[in-house]
Amino acid sequence: MTTTIYLFRNDLRLADLPGLAAAAANGPVLPVYILDDDAAGDRAHGGASRWWLHHSLRALAADIAAGGGQLVLRSGDTVSCLQELAAVSGAGAIHFSRSYSPWERALETRLRQEFDGGVHLKRFPGVLLHEPESIANQTGEPFKVFTPFWRHCRRQNGPGLPLRTPSGVTWSKPQSSSDSLEDWALLPRNPDWAAHWPKLWTPGTAGARHALEQFLRHRLQRYASGRDHPAENATSRLSPHLRFGEISPREIWHKARELAARNPQQQDQVDKFLSELGWREFSYHLLYHFPTIPEKPFKEQFSDFPWLGNQAQLRAWQRGQTGYPVVDAGMRELWHTGYMHNRIRMVTASFLSKHLLTHWRAGERWFWDTLVDADPASNTCSWQWVAGSGADAAPYFRIFNPVIQGEKFDADGAYVRHWVPEVARLPDRWLHRPWEATDEVLSAAGVVLGDNYPRPLVDHRQAREAALSAYQQIRSG
Ligand code: FAD
């Protein structure tokens, strides 16, 4: 029996991995991960993702070692690394899960060309619930609006049952050495800004399953109402686990559905949760069918949008120094934890692209570098959605008012007080609008605007008018 190389990509797990199960059924398996930053180009993992990747690979290597195998790590050109590994191990086949971003698809094309004939190359699903080609509207076109997309997906046969971790895999002994994970220097040093992250996150399949279990047991009941309130911790926090494929969406889907079957009163919560997984699917559907989405506006007319691109304002936004407490809280949560709550992602992204008229790509890049769940589909589609240029985007004139968003979704100020301690002692009434408080109120709370907390970078009303007039230019242009 010849060896099959299993190439891990965005699927760092052993369970529910069709390509691995098929490889294991064929004979010995050589498990390989290749860090190929050149193929990814400017889409190589950002800083926060590299931290996650390091720990996720360590967890995967431990899971493989528990079954007597060794994960082979290589960095460099994927094709050359695989050619060498196939030659040395005498592998007859290479299996992998397909990926959907343009750069990963280009790599798949190269692999097909280079391994033409010799080693049998086989691509499997494993990342999504529905393959993008399998979902189309009545005229055979890709969907561009979420609601009909998801309705259509829900009418399909549900995703098949997840596969178990293949038992008794014969792991092939590597014939050549593996890189050392430490040598890849994926972790930050000098300063180690992620030193406290192991307390926040547990990358790897065990961590992913624990997160899912905790969510289904303790938080699902209040998901629909709580998911918009950043201080409530009502969501699953599964996004980085899904991003790195430590758990399959099929496993999540079936565990949630089983729970609804046992507790029918929770059906609505489960449906709401699954529809959020649906947004992930929709983002991949769009990225696959419209591969320029990471760089170009989905709505053509936004190519001429008169972005301002003020660098000082961009830096103030990145550092959580805009003078709008809810925006600053979000940007600081991101910097300190590698994560930001979904509602606040919308508010901060809207503030950058509409209040500061800074190109959404600058914000998307910052998120790419700082999010542990930085995802080629969800990040780029969501940024375009917020900026108004995306598929199914909210109408441009709906510009979030950061004060009202704060007062509505952080009414008792718990979120802002946690992340923006400078204003924590302000009464609720002024917390989200400190510049409107009297000198006495500010002084009693220890706030000195322009000194220990910034004045607002822009006035909401003026910024709103400027954004609408910029939009008029591309509408009439
Ligand atoms: P839950 O509410 O528990 O949702 C469950 C899962 O559904 C998530 O883990 C995620 O995989 C998926 N999901 C939920 N909401 C969305 C959404 N709006 N779009 C796509 N998938 C969704 N999500 C990422 O995974 N990576 C990103 O890089 C990313 N960038 C974003 C940028 C902006 C500007 C915005 C507005 C949203 C972005 N999102 C991104 C979507 C969303 O904010 C996160 O998926 C969510 O906050 C993750 O938290 P959770 O796992 O607790 O979500």
Side-chain angles (χ1 to χ4, degrees):
M1 283 192 292
T2 56
T3 296
T4 301
I5 291 177
Y6 187 78
L7 175 66
F8 287 97
R9 302 172 84 200
N10 302 307
D11 53 356
L12 305 182
R13 64 176 185 271
L14 300 182
D16 197 24
L17 207 45
L20 178 66
N26 279 347
V29 181
L30 183 66
V32 173
Y33 181 86
I34 300 171
L35 183 67
D36 188 349
D37 281 343
D38 287 345
D42 64 357
R43 284 295 169 174
H45 289 292
S49 299
R50 289 174 108 73
W51 177 89
W52 193 284
L53 178 65
H54 174 99
H55 290 286
S56 192
L57 285 172
R58 207 158 67 176
L60 177 66
D63 290 344
I64 292 172
Q70 187 198 334
L71 177 64
V72 176
L73 300 176
R74 283 296 164 88
S75 68
D77 175 46
T78 303
V79 172
S80 321
C81 291
L82 285 175
Q83 281 169 336
E84 188 240 302
L85 287 166
V88 174
S89 64
I94 299 173
H95 288 190
F96 59 86
S97 301
R98 67 183 295 203
S99 292
Y100 304 88
S101 65
W103 57 99
E104 290 164 316
R105 286 167 68 187
L107 181 60
E108 288 177 16
T109 305
R110 259 192 77 213
L111 282 170
R112 268 197 302 276
Q113 289 160 351
E114 300 287 342
F115 284 95
D116 193 16
V119 178
H120 187 52
L121 200 69
K122 204 149 176 219
R123 191 178 79 158
F124 291 81
V127 170
L128 297 177
L129 295 170
H130 302 280
E131 293 309 308
E133 304 89 344
S134 69
I135 303 293
N137 67 17
Q138 282 173 344
T139 56
E141 299 290 315
F143 283 96
K144 295 179 185 166
V145 177
F146 175 73
T147 305
F149 166 83
W150 192 235
R151 205 183 302 126
H152 183 85
C153 290
R154 294 296 309 250
R155 278 202 295 260
Q156 309 301 302
N157 288 333
L161 286 172
L163 309 172
R164 288 177 187 282
T165 304
S167 61
V169 181
T170 310
W171 295 111
S172 178
K173 284 264 167 293
Q175 304 294 314
S176 58
S177 62
S178 164
D179 289 358
S180 133
L181 187 56
E182 311 312 322
D183 288 349
W184 284 2
L186 296 171
L187 300 179
R189 292 200 206 303
N190 301 325
D192 178 3
W193 38 259
H196 58 293
W197 284 10
K199 288 198 203 102
L200 307 176
W201 302 106
T202 310
T205 298
R209 286 186 165 155
H210 181 71
L212 176 61
E213 218 177 274
Q214 292 297 308
F215 170 69
L216 293 179
R217 190 172 299 168
H218 303 296
R219 305 204 290 282
L220 178 78
Q221 304 88 301
R222 56 193 166 85
Y223 180 72
S225 58
R227 62 180 291 277
D228 264 324
H229 299 270
E232 277 204 25
N233 189 22
T235 67
S236 71
R237 305 229 162 192
L238 279 163
S239 51
H241 299 289
L242 274 162
R243 161 66 183 92
F244 285 90
E246 300 165 352
I247 189 165
S248 73
R250 276 207 300 205
E251 181 171 334
I252 298 176
W253 174 273
H254 283 287
K255 292 239 168 83
R257 300 254 305 179
E258 281 161 21
L259 185 137
R262 288 195 307 276
N263 305 284
Q265 76 283 5
Q266 295 214 30
Q267 185 67 53
D268 289 351
Q269 306 286 345
V270 167
D271 284 344
K272 182 68 194 148
F273 174 61
L274 295 181
S275 79
E276 296 307 318
L277 277 186
W279 274 99
R280 175 177 182 270
E281 294 283 312
F282 184 53
S283 301
Y284 274 94
H285 182 81
L286 292 173
L287 179 66
Y288 178 78
H289 289 292
F290 307 98
T292 57
I293 273 190
E295 305 303 332
K296 293 203 177 134
F298 183 83
K299 289 187 184 148
E300 181 64 33
Q301 84 252 40
F302 275 81
S303 304
D304 299 324
F305 195 85
W307 302 106
L308 294 180
N310 178 316
Q311 291 302 305
Q313 289 187 345
L314 173 63
R315 270 195 302 280
W317 175 83
Q318 289 169 337
R319 291 174 185 168
Q321 296 287 345
T322 67
Y324 282 92
V326 77
V327 174
D328 294 340
M331 298 310 295
R332 295 178 193 191
E333 179 188 21
L334 174 61
W335 183 252
H336 285 280
T337 68
Y339 176 89
M340 193 195 295
H341 186 277
N342 180 59
R343 165 64 46 182
I344 308 299
R345 290 187 204 207
M346 292 196 278
V347 173
T348 55
S350 169
F351 188 83
L352 184 77
S353 56
K354 292 186 175 168
H355 282 72
L356 303 184
L357 289 177
T358 294
H359 202 303
W360 60 266
R361 277 203 314 248
E364 192 273 324
R365 285 284 159 175
W366 182 252
F367 274 29
W368 183 260
D369 198 31
T370 52
L371 277 172
V372 283
D373 63 22
D375 182 281
S378 301
N379 201 37
T380 52
C381 290
S382 300
W383 268 95
Q384 289 229 34
W385 184 87
V386 173
S389 63
D392 199 11
Y396 190 85
F397 55 81
R398 269 201 217 134
I399 295 175
F400 280 134
N401 179 333
V403 173
I404 292 175
Q405 289 289 310
E407 289 174 348
K408 192 164 169 196
F409 297 110
D410 186 36
D412 66 2
Y415 181 70
V416 158
R417 287 195 172 91
H418 181 77
W419 291 110
V420 193
E422 306 95 293
V423 297
R425 285 163 54 211
L426 281 173
D428 287 356
R429 181 168 175 205
W430 308 113
L431 185 68
H432 293 285
R433 47 177 96 220
W435 60 91
E436 288 181 13
T438 61
D439 289 348
E440 291 73 39
V441 170
L442 289 172
S443 146
V447 179
V448 185
L449 290 180
D451 180 12
N452 64 2
Y453 187 67
R455 292 179 195 287
L457 218 48
V458 287
D459 170 73
H460 167 68
R461 198 165 303 162
Q462 285 171 6
R464 184 172 188 281
E465 275 161 22
L468 291 176
S469 107
Y471 181 55
Q472 276 311 319
Q473 286 182 42
I474 60 164
R475 279 191 74 194
S476 47

